[in-house]
Amino acid sequence: MACEGVLGPETSDEGLMLAFQAGDARAFEALVRRHRMPVFNFILRFTGHPARAEDVLQETWLKVVRSARDYKPRAKFTTWLYTIARNLCVDSARKESYRQASSLEAPSGVGAGAEEGRSLGETLPDTGEGPERGAYNARVRPLLTRALASLPEEQREVFVLREYSGIAFKDIAEVTGVSENTVKSRMRYALEGLRRRLTELGVDGDLADDGKTVAG
């Protein structure tokens, strides 16, 4: 069985989940360490609200715990995990009747990494790049956040899953419940929409030609 043996950094996500299913709490802790920030960033960009993103993140991991008994490694663990997170994001948006575009322009409030008076764009993680590029990205990142908010939800989630979380198109298709061709089409429209919106916001150069320049 995949959960046998000593757990280590080389243990696959699926192996860790099977180990947790068998009762090893350390395996769950390892999964959280690996995926907490990428999943949080996905939820944050989906909801546009740090406090709500933190709540949905907690609900996601609780759902993982509650569903552990029924877990079967038919697909990648990350596909299963992001499907849970996405569904909870959709449920949260429906319950709260939340308007993302207006929230992105407002102070971010209380949440992971948030500080009073800072916009959502300013709370996004730094990319760890050089000073000049880092300064450019710090200036442009809030504009990218605004541009992302202007996209239809189905295009935005594909872009975020692909460029921020590094999920393959075929896995995004499983997460979103549409065909891979539809996912690629939505990605194409998302890039076109981002390019157009960023140009309208006065961004030129590489970023206007490629919306993923600061998607790190």
Side-chain angles (χ1 to χ4, degrees):
M1 189 172 180
C3 61
E4 292 180 352
V6 178
L7 299 178
E10 73 284 352
T11 306
S12 69
D13 292 334
E14 294 75 26
L16 288 172
M17 190 61 196
L18 288 172
F20 175 58
Q21 189 180 61
D24 192 336
R26 297 171 305 159
F28 179 74
E29 294 169 0
L31 286 169
V32 173
R33 283 195 300 271
R34 281 185 188 180
H35 298 290
R36 186 187 189 283
M37 283 311 300
V39 174
F40 176 75
N41 287 336
F42 164 69
I43 296 170
L44 177 59
R45 290 176 174 95
F46 194 110
T47 64
H49 194 287
R52 182 165 299 146
E54 191 66 50
D55 289 342
V56 173
L57 179 69
Q58 296 304 319
E59 290 177 24
T60 298
W61 289 114
L62 282 173
K63 181 77 170 177
V64 169
V65 171
R66 290 167 181 163
S67 303
R69 181 181 302 175
D70 301 320
Y71 172 78
K72 293 181 176 61
R74 297 193 187 97
K76 289 182 179 178
F77 170 79
T78 49
T79 300
W80 184 68
L81 177 62
Y82 278 94
T83 299
I84 291 173
R86 175 187 180 269
N87 289 341
L88 288 171
C89 284
V90 171
D91 288 344
S92 176
R94 286 172 180 165
K95 289 175 184 176
E96 303 294 335
S97 298
Y98 183 71
R99 294 183 59 86
Q100 183 176 14
S102 60
S103 177
L104 288 171
E105 297 302 320
S108 59
V110 179
E115 294 179 13
E116 184 176 357
R118 298 182 71 197
S119 68
L120 173 62
E122 293 174 303
T123 70
L124 300 183
D126 198 354
T127 58
E129 295 161 335
E132 293 183 3
R133 191 61 177 174
Y136 174 74
N137 286 351
R139 177 177 64 83
V140 172
R141 192 175 293 112
L143 300 181
L144 177 60
T145 300
R146 291 174 60 185
L148 275 171
S150 71
L151 294 177
E153 182 178 290
E154 65 271 12
Q155 294 176 22
R156 183 171 65 251
E157 70 176 357
V158 168
F159 179 87
V160 170
L161 284 168
R162 177 66 173 176
E163 298 301 336
Y164 288 94
S165 300
I167 308 296
F169 284 131
K170 65 181 179 64
D171 296 325
I172 295 175
E174 291 190 47
V175 170
T176 57
V178 299
S179 70
E180 186 173 346
N181 284 339
T182 298
V183 168
K184 290 178 179 179
S185 177
R186 289 178 180 178
M187 183 66 176
R188 183 175 67 254
Y189 286 130
L191 289 172
E192 291 172 355
L194 283 175
R195 189 177 301 118
R196 181 170 57 254
R197 182 60 176 145
L198 288 167
T199 299
E200 291 172 357
L201 292 171
V203 178
D204 53 11
D206 293 341
L207 183 58
D209 292 330
D210 186 354
K212 68 183 180 181
T213 300
V214 294

